[in-house]
């Protein structure tokens, strides 16, 4: 089993430098895959109401046999549940589906700015945290202006912002803002969903040593730019490979060469316009 190092979030919680994405992992096979990820060493699990797998994640937590406090279970409020009362109801429904008495990391999935209810949603999350139903509170797909607004109107800054981030979209300026404001960056689709990224020569050239694959080079890049990637894999061998990125280091020049692959968002998910219900 791999021991994944941690960093400390602004709220004092220990947070893994690599986590596990669960989008698409459903049913018995999905639960098995999540259990196998925990057995491989992952302690941060990423779910969402919209993944329709909170039940599988909760079941995997119970089957893992680990002490509950060793795992960080993440879920996210969907756009249709924005608003103070709606978010509180959504949290209770997620807890029921998870079969857990606490959500460890609770995120607003998308800001949906045209609906303009993310500040009220955030107020509900602050109260849920005070009540102990939620431990850490954060957001996903928020811009700097949206983060400023949350802080300005409530006095509470998210401890995590989970955003699209991979070598094709390194988000340097948002990462710098996060670093200044004590927000941990989490990278969604960190492998760019196994697109041609893994065949890029700059990646392949760094993966020539035995035991260092292109995937590991990409995930190591995330670690060194200070972001927690949450790669998803349904396969135990790949899960182990993706967690095993702490035995080598990239030089600053190598990190810069990978960052130079930048080309922009891959799926058009601009937080200023994308609406996810
Ligand atoms: N907040 C948000 O808006 C979003 C959050 N997310 C979260 O981020 C997670 C990760 O993103 P996701 O979109 O799943 O994409 P990833 O970048 O994690 O890529 C997943 C793909 O890569 C393959 N893969 C994984 N590891 C390897 C490997 N070692 N070698 C070869 N192929 C590999 C997987 O296949 P296989 O399973 O067959 O191994 C799968 O097809 C999601 O699962 C979800 O939890 C994702 C999108 C948006
Ligand atoms: O998987 C998620 O969590 C998502 O939010 C995705 O559906 C995301 O909306 C996306 O892929 C945007 O292009």
């Amino acid at each position: 089993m791999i021991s994944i190092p941690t960093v400390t979030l602004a709220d004092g919680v220990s947070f893994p430098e690599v986590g596990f994405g669960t989008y698409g992992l459903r049913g018995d096979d999905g639960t098995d895959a999540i259990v196998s990820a925990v057995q491989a060493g992952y302690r941060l699990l990423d779910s969402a109401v919209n993944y329709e797998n909170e039940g599988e994640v909760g079941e995997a937590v119970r089957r893992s046999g680990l002490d509950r406090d060793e795992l960080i279970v993440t879920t996210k409020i969907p756009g249709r549940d924005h608003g103070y009362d709606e978010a509180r109801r959504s949290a209770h429904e997620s807890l029921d589906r998870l079969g857990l008495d606490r959500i460890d990391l609770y995120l607003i999935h998308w800001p949906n700015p045209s609906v303009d209810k993310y500040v009220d949603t955030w107020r509900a999350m602050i109260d849920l945290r005070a009540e102990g139903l939620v431990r850490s509170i954060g957001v996903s797909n928020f811009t700097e202006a949206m983060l400023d607004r949350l802080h300005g109107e409530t006095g509470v800054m998210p401890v995590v912002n989970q955003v699209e981030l991979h070598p094709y979209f390194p988000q340097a300026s948002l990462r710098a803002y996060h670093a200044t404001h004590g927000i941990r960056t989490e990278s969604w689709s960190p492998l760019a969903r196994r697109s041609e990224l893994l065949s890029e020569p700059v990646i392949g050239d760094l993966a020539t040593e035995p035991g260092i694959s292109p995937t590991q080079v990409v995930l190591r890049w995330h670690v060194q730019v200070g972001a927690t990637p949450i790669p998803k894999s349904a396969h135990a061998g790949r899960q182990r490979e993706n967690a095993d990125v702490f035995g080598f280091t990239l030089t600053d020049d190598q990190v810069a060469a990978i960052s130079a692959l930048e080309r922009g968002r891959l799926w058009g998910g601009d937080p200023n316009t994308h609406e996810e219900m």
Side-chain angles (χ1 to χ4, degrees):
M1 190 177 70
I2 293 147
S3 177
I4 298 177
T6 57
V7 294
T8 304
L9 297 181
D11 62 6
V13 167
S14 280
F15 194 72
E17 290 194 64
V18 175
F20 184 69
T22 71
Y23 179 75
L25 297 178
R26 295 173 60 189
D28 290 342
D29 288 349
T31 307
D32 290 347
I34 300 164
V35 171
S36 121
V38 174
Q39 288 168 344
Y42 293 90
R43 295 293 176 264
L44 169 64
L45 305 176
D46 184 69
S47 183
V49 172
N50 281 347
Y51 301 170
E52 299 181 355
N53 68 357
E54 292 173 307
E56 285 87 337
V57 170
E59 178 61 18
V61 169
R62 286 183 288 281
R63 272 181 42 194
S64 74
L66 285 188
D67 188 283
R68 175 69 186 85
D69 286 340
E70 289 190 50
L71 290 166
I72 298 181
V73 174
T74 310
T75 194
K76 315 189 190 87
I77 302 183
R80 62 185 176 282
D81 290 344
H82 279 206
Y84 186 87
D85 292 338
E86 294 88 340
R88 290 183 62 84
R89 174 186 46 75
S90 193
H92 284 281
E93 290 171 358
S94 284
L95 285 164
D96 284 349
R97 282 189 295 267
L98 287 160
L100 301 175
D101 58 12
R102 183 190 71 213
I103 296 166
D104 303 298
L105 175 61
Y106 202 30
L107 307 180
I108 301 177
H109 201 150
W110 284 87
N112 288 14
S114 75
V115 178
D116 198 19
K117 287 189 183 171
Y118 64 76
V119 177
D120 284 344
T121 307
W122 187 240
R123 291 188 204 286
M125 293 166 72
I126 294 167
D127 289 350
L128 287 161
R129 185 181 61 176
E131 292 159 19
L133 294 176
V134 166
R135 187 166 58 168
S136 297
I137 52 176
V139 294
S140 179
N141 300 301
F142 273 52
T143 64
E144 294 170 36
M146 292 166 182
L147 292 163
D148 277 341
R149 185 172 168 210
L150 283 188
H151 185 251
E153 295 197 26
T154 68
V156 179
M157 196 55 120
V159 295
V160 164
N161 189 17
Q162 183 186 114
V163 294
E164 180 181 347
L165 202 155
H166 40 71
Y168 287 144
F169 192 45
Q171 299 248 47
S173 127
L174 183 61
R175 279 191 284 109
Y177 174 98
H178 288 170
T180 306
H181 292 84
I183 300 168
R184 180 68 183 173
T185 307
E186 243 191 325
S187 311
W188 64 253
S189 296
L191 303 174
R193 297 182 188 160
R194 198 175 51 182
S195 60
E196 67 273 25
L197 173 66
L198 299 179
S199 313
E200 290 284 355
V202 67
I203 306 283
D205 288 351
L206 294 171
T208 48
E209 305 245 342
I212 304 181
S213 68
T215 310
Q216 289 172 316
V217 170
V218 171
L219 294 170
R220 182 71 208 176
W221 172 87
H222 285 271
V223 169
Q224 289 192 221
V225 301
T228 290
I230 47 170
K232 170 263 172 187
S233 178
H235 304 286
R238 288 177 176 171
Q239 292 169 357
R240 283 194 297 274
E241 175 186 346
N242 296 349
D244 188 12
V245 297
F246 298 96
F248 68 102
T249 309
L250 302 170
T251 65
D252 290 348
D253 285 350
Q254 290 167 339
V255 169
I258 296 171
S259 302
L261 292 170
E262 176 159 16
R263 58 162 85 154
R265 296 182 194 284
L266 292 188
W267 299 285
D270 182 343
N272 286 303
T273 52
H274 182 83
E275 302 284 323
E276 181 124 329
M277 298 313 285

